[in-house]
Amino acid sequence: MSDYTPQNEEAEDELYEHYAFTAEKGQSPLRIDKYLMNFVENATRSKIQAAAKSGNIFVNGVPVKSNYKVKGNDVIKVLFAHPPYENLLVGENIPIDIVYEDDDLLVVNKPAGMVVHPGHGNYSGTLINALIYHFDNLPENSSGRPGLVHRIDKDTSGLLVVAKTEEAMAQLSLQFAEKTSEREYVAIVWGNVEDEEGTVEGNIGRHPKNRLQNTVFFGDDEDKGKPAVTHYKVIERLGYVTLVSCKLETGRTHQIRVHMKHIGHTLFNDERYGGEKILKGTTFTKYKQFVDNCFKILPRQALHAKTLGFEHPRTKEFMRFNTDIPEDMQLCIEKWRQYVKHQELGEA
C-alpha cells in the first residue's frame, strides 16, 4: 500500500500504490506519458493520459499532468483508489495438466500463453487462479503467492513444481535458492552457435531505459544486476538457427532470453528482445516468407522448460520429470530441418 495519505482519511478515499519508479540519475527530460510507456506492461498512452488527468500520477509526492517532463532521480508513483488486482485472487475452473501429484506437491506442465500469477494486465486465467480453485489452503511464498516455488514466463511452456504444504514450500524454495534443483530448457535461437557448449555468466537486472526488459550488467555497472549463470549445449544446427539445451544454475527473470541475446543468439520469435525480426539469413523474398510462416506456426519465443529435478521435501528422494517439446516448437523445428535439406545456405 502507498505511503501517500490523503487529507480526507476515510477508508474509501485511501489510495493504493500500483506502480513506483525512480528515474535514472542521467534521465534526459521526457514527457511522463512517454516515459511510463516503457515501464508499464500493456499500458496505452491514452490510459496513462487519463490517469494523469484524474490526478493519479504523482512525481515527488505531487500530482502531475501528462506533459510533465521526467528528470533524473524523480520518484514516480501511480496511485488508484482500489488495491492492485493481483492482491484480489479469485479461483477459476481452469484445467491444469498435472504430471505428478502427492500430498506434498504437484508438478504442472504449463502451456504457452498461460500467465503464472496475476499481474498488471493479466488479472484472470492465470495458473494461480486455477490452483486456488482446485486446491485448498495452499501455502504462500515470500511474495504472498499460493503454491508457487518458482515461475516461468507467460509464453514459455513447460514444467513447474507447486508446494501443497508449508514444509514443502520451505524445502523446495531452499533448493532453488541453493541451486540444487535441476532445470533444463530447450530453445531455438537465431544464428549458428559457434561452440558445441559453453557457459554464460553475467549479472542480470532491469534495463535502465525499458523496464519491460532485463539486461546484462558488467564492468563498473555489475552491481546493478544479480549474478546469473546459464550453461548451454547445441542439440541440432539448423542453418540460420540452432536448437540448444540451456541448464539454469540461477533463476533470474528472463535469464535464458537475456543471456542468449547477450552472446548474439536471441531466441527465435522473442518479441520483447527483438527475436521477432529476421536476424540471420538471406535477403530473398522466399526466405522472408519462410520465416514469417515459422513465426505463424510458433507465435511466441521458442523456449520450453523440458526437465525439472529436485529432492522430495519429505522422502528426500531425488525426482526428475521430463515433458515433450510442444507441437508448435516441434513443427517449427521440422520446417527448419526441411529448409536446410533443400537450400544451399550462403554466409549468414
Side-chain angles (χ1 to χ4, degrees):
M1 201 166 71
S2 136
D3 56 6
Y4 169 82
T5 307
Q7 290 181 341
N8 180 348
E9 293 186 353
E10 289 179 20
E12 63 267 25
D13 288 334
E14 189 171 12
L15 292 179
Y16 296 83
E17 183 180 291
H18 285 236
Y19 306 91
F21 311 109
T22 301
E24 289 284 312
K25 188 179 177 182
Q27 173 68 45
S28 54
L30 180 66
R31 280 178 60 113
I32 196 160
D33 51 357
K34 287 186 176 179
Y35 178 88
L36 286 173
M37 286 286 288
N38 290 327
F39 285 74
V40 180
E41 194 166 6
N42 300 319
T44 63
R45 197 163 172 192
S46 60
K47 282 183 181 177
I48 293 168
Q49 289 171 344
K53 193 173 181 180
S54 302
N56 295 111
I57 298 178
F58 292 75
V59 177
N60 305 324
V62 179
V64 298
K65 298 300 180 190
S66 55
N67 63 354
Y68 173 84
K69 297 282 182 70
V70 176
K71 298 178 289 296
N73 297 322
D74 273 352
V75 177
I76 301 157
K77 292 187 178 184
V78 183
L79 309 176
F80 291 107
H82 58 84
Y85 288 111
E86 61 264 37
N87 295 345
L88 309 173
L89 294 174
V90 177
E92 296 178 50
N93 187 7
I94 301 165
I96 305 172
D97 181 3
I98 297 173
V99 175
Y100 172 85
E101 182 184 1
D102 62 26
D103 292 340
D104 302 285
L105 58 89
L106 60 145
V107 175
V108 173
N109 185 19
K110 185 191 83 69
M114 176 184 262
V115 176
V116 171
H117 59 76
H120 308 305
N122 298 107
Y123 304 118
S124 64
T126 75
L127 179 61
I128 281 192
N129 294 117
L131 288 171
I132 61 176
Y133 179 89
H134 293 288
F135 299 95
D136 295 325
N137 304 315
L138 288 173
E140 292 188 351
N141 66 13
S142 58
S143 302
R145 289 167 178 153
L148 280 199
V149 177
H150 61 127
R151 59 180 288 274
I152 55 179
D153 297 330
K154 173 187 175 183
D155 289 325
T156 300
S157 53
L159 296 173
L160 284 163
V161 61
V162 175
K164 292 170 73 175
T165 68
E166 296 284 356
E167 184 189 359
M169 176 65 78
Q171 292 282 343
L172 289 166
S173 297
L174 188 65
Q175 290 182 51
F176 278 77
E178 293 186 341
K179 308 172 189 172
T180 57
S181 60
E182 181 184 318
R183 284 169 289 170
E184 181 187 5
Y185 291 68
V186 289
I188 306 169
V189 300
W190 278 108
N192 185 18
V193 178
E194 191 174 337
D195 297 323
E196 284 298 318
E197 55 186 270
T199 297
V200 187
E201 295 186 61
N203 288 14
I204 289 177
R206 288 285 184 196
H207 196 293
K209 292 187 178 174
N210 184 349
R211 284 181 66 88
L212 304 183
Q213 288 187 4
N214 280 355
T215 190
V216 173
F217 290 98
F218 44 88
D220 292 341
D221 291 331
E222 197 172 65
D223 60 354
K224 290 182 180 177
K226 293 180 179 176
V229 181
T230 305
H231 306 285
Y232 68 86
K233 192 172 187 177
V234 171
I235 299 172
E236 188 174 354
R237 298 181 186 278
L238 298 164
Y240 298 125
V241 300
T242 307
L243 184 65
V244 295
S245 155
C246 293
K247 288 190 176 180
L248 292 182
E249 196 172 300
T250 53
R252 308 301 174 203
T253 302
H254 300 173
Q255 180 171 319
I256 292 170
R257 300 164 70 182
V258 172
H259 268 173
M260 294 312 290
K261 178 174 182 171
H262 181 64
I263 63 168
H265 296 289
T266 303
L267 263 63
F268 188 78
N269 210 11
D270 187 349
E271 186 176 357
R272 185 165 296 189
Y273 289 93
E276 85 289 8
K277 300 180 181 71
I278 296 177
L279 299 181
K280 294 287 179 181
T282 74
T283 55
F284 298 131
T285 304
K286 277 190 175 179
Y287 175 73
K288 184 179 181 300
Q289 288 172 345
F290 163 76
V291 175
D292 284 344
N293 286 337
C294 288
F295 287 159
K296 284 173 187 167
I297 287 169
L298 182 64
R300 63 179 179 103
Q301 68 258 13
L303 187 61
H304 176 66
K306 188 177 190 306
T307 304
L308 179 63
F310 53 84
E311 184 183 275
H312 192 282
R314 190 165 42 82
T315 66
K316 306 305 177 190
E317 173 195 356
F318 192 84
M319 308 180 81
R320 183 181 287 106
F321 300 92
N322 276 287
T323 183
D324 293 336
I325 297 172
E327 187 180 18
D328 57 356
M329 271 185 76
Q330 291 277 23
L331 288 170
C332 186
I333 292 164
E334 189 51 44
K335 277 189 81 70
W336 276 102
R337 282 181 185 140
Q338 293 303 316
Y339 181 85
V340 170
K341 202 178 285 185
H342 293 106
Q343 299 295 320
E344 288 290 322
L345 290 176
E347 288 294 313

